[in-house]
Amino acid sequence: MTPNILLIMADQLRYDCVGFAGMSPVATPNIDRLAAEGMSFATAFSPIPVCGPARQSLVCGRRAETFGGLWNAGIAWKVSTLAPSAYSWARTLQEHGYRSGYVGKWDVHPTLDPTHYGYDEFVDSRKLYAEALRAQYPDVEYTGGYLGEVDPLPLEDTLSHRTSSEAGKLLQRLAASGGPWQLRVNFDEPHLPCRPTAEFAKLYDARQIAPWGSFAETFAGKPYIQAQQLHSWGIEDYGWEEWAPIVARYFAVISQLDDAIGRLLKQLDDLGLRENTLVVFTSDHGDLCGGHRMMDKHYVMYEDVIRVPMVMRWPGVIRAGSQTEELVYNLLDLPPTLLQACGLANPEDCRFHGQSLVPLWKTGSKEQAGGYISREEIVCTYNGQQFGLFTQRMIRTREWKYVWNLTDVDELYDLRNDPHELNNQIGVQGHRELIAGLRRRLYEILKQDEDPIVANQWMQRQLLEGRKL
């Protein structure tokens, strides 16, 4: 049975801010229903926590460093981007009879839209929203900046629900084609600035929201750039009293996003397409949103930004209510997963940096999942941007996280005993052998995945010879 594919992506959604995770008081009943009817991935990670490079990796299934997609376009220095001639799993589906549509945020190429990468139709809901805003609400002004505010627009006219509405229209057109289809829907929410409508904003009382566990951050022994971030944003004096309303709006816009997703899923059901559609929900990366007292997601490898929610549902194929704690990459593992689900082989001319998750669907257990290679670690990357260059590579096991900061002090966190990553143990003498092992394994994975940073002999010395302060 060849499935249809509905791939839904949020923008900057934390792993702990969906209801089924049970970690934050965020209401997401529609996303929770997907988890209850399918499989949730408890430890899924973005390979690079920056919008543009992350989305480019999803198109081709490779780490962004291998094709020069280092940071977002249009900020500071010019940067390469994924070429339209590069491999695209969407194009493979297109070549095998799939009708493909794309709605919402793109961020893959500054001038070329998704139709250059294997999609038959692209609906720019952001553009339609902006045009409608100017035409219907010329007097509306947003003054909260990146800190956000309550949106005065009717719910139907917000960007979240405009994206859902346009996706629903395209879903109908794809379904009417009579053949298999794949639809990718990319919401902007809950990326800052968070602007929930009043009906969702009232769901969360800032006075009732407890601080993140990492809010006790002091930056002692940490890279300079982290404390500098507070000054760059002008939030160095913010206490939880200032942060709580911002977090409340973040929660509220997540619930608004969930409502928009619910409407799209209902349309899928109404069209009788539920049973033969593989639905995937995830996010490009997370958000600090006050975690470690910081804003946005840059220059850190904390769980807040690298860890993401991910859910897959395919009735009759994926066991309902199942969960796996395997270490997975959402953006690198999805391309081979989707191809295998559609009965297609991996491309011969493109080596994926991820692996198919299909073997985990029915069991969630590596012992029973034939062909699945269980990971002992996850590697994430960052190449600097926005407030200046600052390159990082991270390796995370279930117990430890090591962050290689090429131009500053490294970081080492004991995830079992310090889950909020407050105490940098890089200087602890008793960890020297552990650090050497993590550095060696990090080098091996970066070399295997063709990261050019380790082709430099000076960088190799840092990892392999311990020539790092």
Side-chain angles (χ1 to χ4, degrees), residues 184-198:
R184 186 169 160 192
V185 184
N186 286 256
F187 289 92
D188 282 65
E189 294 76 22
H191 193 294
L192 48 76
C194 294
R195 294 170 179 155
T197 61

mmCIF file of all heavy atoms in Angstrom, residues 184-198:
data_model
loop_
_atom_site.group_PDB
_atom_site.id
_atom_site.type_symbol
_atom_site.label_atom_id
_atom_site.label_comp_id
_atom_site.label_asym_id
_atom_site.label_seq_id
_atom_site.Cartn_x
_atom_site.Cartn_y
_atom_site.Cartn_z
ATOM 1 N N ARG A 184 3.493 19.127 2.115
ATOM 2 C CA ARG A 184 4.314 19.645 3.212
ATOM 3 C C ARG A 184 3.748 20.992 3.648
ATOM 4 O O ARG A 184 3.578 21.907 2.827
ATOM 5 C CB ARG A 184 5.766 19.785 2.767
ATOM 6 C CG ARG A 184 6.674 20.179 3.913
ATOM 7 C CD ARG A 184 8.130 20.055 3.560
ATOM 8 N NE ARG A 184 8.933 20.866 4.464
ATOM 9 C CZ ARG A 184 10.209 21.154 4.285
ATOM 10 N NH1 ARG A 184 10.838 20.668 3.240
ATOM 11 N NH2 ARG A 184 10.866 21.907 5.142
ATOM 12 N N VAL A 185 3.446 21.103 4.930
ATOM 13 C CA VAL A 185 2.848 22.318 5.496
ATOM 14 C C VAL A 185 3.790 22.864 6.558
ATOM 15 O O VAL A 185 4.055 22.197 7.563
ATOM 16 C CB VAL A 185 1.461 22.033 6.100
ATOM 17 C CG1 VAL A 185 0.821 23.334 6.585
ATOM 18 C CG2 VAL A 185 0.566 21.340 5.083
ATOM 19 N N ASN A 186 4.274 24.075 6.342
ATOM 20 C CA ASN A 186 5.253 24.674 7.242
ATOM 21 C C ASN A 186 4.679 25.912 7.913
ATOM 22 O O ASN A 186 4.495 26.953 7.279
ATOM 23 C CB ASN A 186 6.518 25.037 6.467
ATOM 24 C CG ASN A 186 7.343 23.820 6.113
ATOM 25 O OD1 ASN A 186 8.361 23.541 6.700
ATOM 26 N ND2 ASN A 186 6.862 23.051 5.139
ATOM 27 N N PHE A 187 4.377 25.782 9.181
ATOM 28 C CA PHE A 187 3.848 26.902 9.955
ATOM 29 C C PHE A 187 4.994 27.780 10.463
ATOM 30 O O PHE A 187 6.102 27.307 10.685
ATOM 31 C CB PHE A 187 3.039 26.376 11.147
ATOM 32 C CG PHE A 187 1.736 25.753 10.771
ATOM 33 C CD1 PHE A 187 1.646 24.378 10.534
ATOM 34 C CD2 PHE A 187 0.586 26.522 10.656
ATOM 35 C CE1 PHE A 187 0.441 23.794 10.186
ATOM 36 C CE2 PHE A 187 -0.628 25.947 10.307
ATOM 37 C CZ PHE A 187 -0.705 24.583 10.075
ATOM 38 N N ASP A 188 4.704 29.054 10.670
ATOM 39 C CA ASP A 188 5.672 29.983 11.254
ATOM 40 C C ASP A 188 5.686 29.906 12.769
ATOM 41 O O ASP A 188 6.669 30.315 13.396
ATOM 42 C CB ASP A 188 5.335 31.426 10.848
ATOM 43 C CG ASP A 188 5.776 31.736 9.428
ATOM 44 O OD1 ASP A 188 5.234 31.128 8.480
ATOM 45 O OD2 ASP A 188 6.651 32.592 9.257
ATOM 46 N N GLU A 189 4.633 29.435 13.346
ATOM 47 C CA GLU A 189 4.484 29.395 14.799
ATOM 48 C C GLU A 189 5.221 28.200 15.396
ATOM 49 O O GLU A 189 5.322 27.165 14.740
ATOM 50 C CB GLU A 189 3.008 29.334 15.161
ATOM 51 C CG GLU A 189 2.221 30.571 14.784
ATOM 52 C CD GLU A 189 1.924 30.625 13.287
ATOM 53 O OE1 GLU A 189 1.952 29.562 12.627
ATOM 54 O OE2 GLU A 189 1.672 31.730 12.774
ATOM 55 N N PRO A 190 5.748 28.333 16.635
ATOM 56 C CA PRO A 190 5.664 29.481 17.543
ATOM 57 C C PRO A 190 6.904 30.378 17.533
ATOM 58 O O PRO A 190 7.300 30.922 18.568
ATOM 59 C CB PRO A 190 5.517 28.805 18.903
ATOM 60 C CG PRO A 190 6.363 27.565 18.769
ATOM 61 C CD PRO A 190 6.210 27.116 17.333
ATOM 62 N N HIS A 191 7.549 30.532 16.381
ATOM 63 C CA HIS A 191 8.714 31.414 16.272
ATOM 64 C C HIS A 191 8.371 32.819 16.769
ATOM 65 O O HIS A 191 7.304 33.354 16.483
ATOM 66 C CB HIS A 191 9.155 31.475 14.809
ATOM 67 C CG HIS A 191 10.492 32.088 14.592
ATOM 68 N ND1 HIS A 191 10.765 33.408 14.854
ATOM 69 C CD2 HIS A 191 11.655 31.554 14.111
ATOM 70 C CE1 HIS A 191 12.031 33.667 14.546
ATOM 71 N NE2 HIS A 191 12.589 32.556 14.101
ATOM 72 N N LEU A 192 9.328 33.404 17.510
ATOM 73 C CA LEU A 192 9.084 34.763 17.986
ATOM 74 C C LEU A 192 9.004 35.744 16.806
ATOM 75 O O LEU A 192 9.590 35.476 15.758
ATOM 76 C CB LEU A 192 10.188 35.181 18.977
ATOM 77 C CG LEU A 192 11.663 34.950 18.614
ATOM 78 C CD1 LEU A 192 12.197 35.939 17.606
ATOM 79 C CD2 LEU A 192 12.516 34.986 19.867
ATOM 80 N N PRO A 193 8.245 36.838 16.938
ATOM 81 C CA PRO A 193 7.468 37.250 18.107
ATOM 82 C C PRO A 193 6.155 36.474 18.201
ATOM 83 O O PRO A 193 5.472 36.261 17.196
ATOM 84 C CB PRO A 193 7.201 38.734 17.838
ATOM 85 C CG PRO A 193 7.186 38.847 16.343
ATOM 86 C CD PRO A 193 8.197 37.847 15.850
ATOM 87 N N CYS A 194 5.804 36.043 19.396
ATOM 88 C CA CYS A 194 4.583 35.277 19.604
ATOM 89 C C CYS A 194 3.399 36.237 19.748
ATOM 90 O O CYS A 194 3.387 37.082 20.644
ATOM 91 C CB CYS A 194 4.709 34.402 20.837
ATOM 92 S SG CYS A 194 5.949 33.106 20.649
ATOM 93 N N ARG A 195 2.404 36.056 18.871
ATOM 94 C CA ARG A 195 1.236 36.927 18.869
ATOM 95 C C ARG A 195 -0.053 36.094 18.860
ATOM 96 O O ARG A 195 -0.727 35.970 17.834
ATOM 97 C CB ARG A 195 1.258 37.844 17.648
ATOM 98 C CG ARG A 195 2.403 38.858 17.663
ATOM 99 C CD ARG A 195 2.521 39.576 16.345
ATOM 100 N NE ARG A 195 3.592 40.565 16.365
ATOM 101 C CZ ARG A 195 4.241 40.982 15.273
ATOM 102 N NH1 ARG A 195 3.945 40.454 14.080
ATOM 103 N NH2 ARG A 195 5.189 41.892 15.371
ATOM 104 N N PRO A 196 -0.393 35.512 19.979
ATOM 105 C CA PRO A 196 -1.635 34.728 20.040
ATOM 106 C C PRO A 196 -2.846 35.653 20.061
ATOM 107 O O PRO A 196 -2.765 36.794 20.530
ATOM 108 C CB PRO A 196 -1.488 33.980 21.364
ATOM 109 C CG PRO A 196 -0.670 34.904 22.215
ATOM 110 C CD PRO A 196 0.318 35.544 21.272
ATOM 111 N N THR A 197 -3.959 35.156 19.565
ATOM 112 C CA THR A 197 -5.200 35.914 19.688
ATOM 113 C C THR A 197 -5.663 35.872 21.143
ATOM 114 O O THR A 197 -5.199 35.045 21.936
ATOM 115 C CB THR A 197 -6.296 35.341 18.783
ATOM 116 O OG1 THR A 197 -6.547 33.981 19.182
ATOM 117 C CG2 THR A 197 -5.882 35.380 17.318
ATOM 118 N N ALA A 198 -6.596 36.742 21.471
ATOM 119 C CA ALA A 198 -7.043 36.869 22.861
ATOM 120 C C ALA A 198 -7.601 35.553 23.396
ATOM 121 O O ALA A 198 -7.396 35.215 24.574
ATOM 122 C CB ALA A 198 -8.082 37.978 22.978
#
